[in-house]
């Protein structure tokens, strides 16, 4: 029931050994194939780059339809399929989630529910509405496994205040995080 999944293999020395997986989750209306290509030049030196597609078409791109369970299904299915195809070259635990906008919503919710698989998160445009009561409870449970959360939000972005609040929640729960508001001149 998920859309297509795009991926790039690791580059550099060790590319045929077990490598971590970086999963990029696009924003609403995003083009996962094009976005994956853009991230590939940076991500492939760290490991596999996997870019699942949201389950619904939206304005010429794809969307997650505000359904993190659909995103979790797509993400975990992509990891499983990659492991089945490439075997032990694909790391199953200690991977990274990258989410932008609606993809940040999916990444934050998948991350708290799959902290063993994804213990590093890069969230581009976090919002407090992305975690409801269950998400906050899952955050408390995930705190022992999450190694690093990086929040990046443009200083002029309408969710910058919300991203600061999410940083406060992470701090309160004792999760290691960095908040980097981008300042434009």
């Amino acid at each position: 029931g998920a859309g297509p999944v795009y991926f790039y293999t690791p580059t550099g020395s060790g590319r045929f050994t077990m490598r971590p997986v970086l999963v990029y989750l696009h924003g609403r209306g995003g083009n996962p194939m094009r976005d994956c290509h853009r991230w590939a030049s940076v991500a492939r030196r760290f490991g596999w780059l996997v870019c699942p597609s949201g389950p619904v078409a939206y304005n010429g791109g794809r969307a997650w339809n505000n359904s993190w369970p659909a995103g979790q299904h797509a993400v975990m299915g992509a990891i499983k399929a990659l492991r089945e195809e490439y075997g032990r070259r694909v790391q199953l635990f200690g991977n990274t989630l990258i989410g932008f906008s609606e993809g940040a919503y999916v990444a934050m919710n998948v991350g708290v529910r799959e902290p063993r698989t994804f213990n590093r998160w890069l969230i581009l445009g976090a919002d407090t509405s992305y975690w409801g009561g269950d998400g906050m409870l899952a955050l408390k449970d995930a705190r022992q496994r999450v190694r690093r959360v990086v929040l990046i939000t443009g200083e002029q972005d309408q969710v910058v205040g919300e991203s600061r609040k999410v940083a406060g929640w992470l701090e309160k729960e004792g999760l290691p995080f960095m908040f980097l508001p981008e300042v434009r001149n």
Side-chain angles (χ1 to χ4, degrees):
V5 177
Y6 304 95
F7 75 97
Y8 285 86
T9 59
T11 60
S13 65
R15 68 183 173 273
F16 297 113
T17 62
M18 184 181 292
R19 300 299 302 270
V21 180
L22 292 85
V23 175
Y24 175 75
L25 300 167
H26 62 82
R28 182 175 293 150
N31 181 322
M33 183 173 69
R34 186 179 63 229
D35 292 348
C36 207
H37 180 73
R38 288 179 179 160
W39 279 92
S41 63
V42 173
R44 293 178 71 194
R45 66 185 114 163
F46 298 105
W48 299 87
L49 174 62
V50 176
C51 306
S53 299
V56 297
Y58 184 88
N59 285 346
R62 305 295 297 178
W64 297 102
N65 209 24
N66 286 324
S67 173
W68 67 260
Q72 183 176 23
H73 174 76
V75 167
M76 298 310 288
I79 296 283
K80 181 180 177 188
L82 201 64
R83 180 66 180 242
E84 287 173 0
E85 181 69 23
Y86 292 96
R88 294 188 53 82
R89 291 179 55 199
V90 178
Q91 184 170 295
L92 294 179
F93 307 114
N95 296 307
T96 301
L97 280 171
I98 305 165
F100 169 68
S101 191
E102 188 183 25
Y105 163 72
V106 173
M108 288 170 65
N109 280 283
V110 172
V112 297
R113 289 164 176 89
E114 302 286 351
R116 187 168 181 222
T117 302
F118 299 102
N119 64 359
R120 292 166 179 84
W121 313 339
L122 172 57
I123 306 299
L124 308 168
D127 193 311
T128 55
S129 66
Y130 292 170
W131 278 326
D134 289 344
M136 291 302 291
L137 290 174
L139 178 63
K140 291 177 190 298
D141 294 339
R143 70 178 163 214
Q144 298 301 320
R145 295 196 183 263
V146 177
R147 304 280 307 257
R148 171 75 57 188
V149 178
V150 177
L151 304 173
I152 300 176
T153 305
E155 195 60 54
Q156 302 302 313
D157 193 307
Q158 65 185 11
V159 298
V160 71
E162 298 298 308
S163 293
R164 283 192 176 95
K165 288 179 188 174
V166 170
W169 291 350
L170 295 170
E171 183 173 35
K172 179 182 175 198
E173 294 303 327
L175 276 84
F177 75 95
M178 292 173 42
F179 176 60
L180 305 169
E182 178 187 326
V183 180
R184 293 191 182 134
N185 293 328

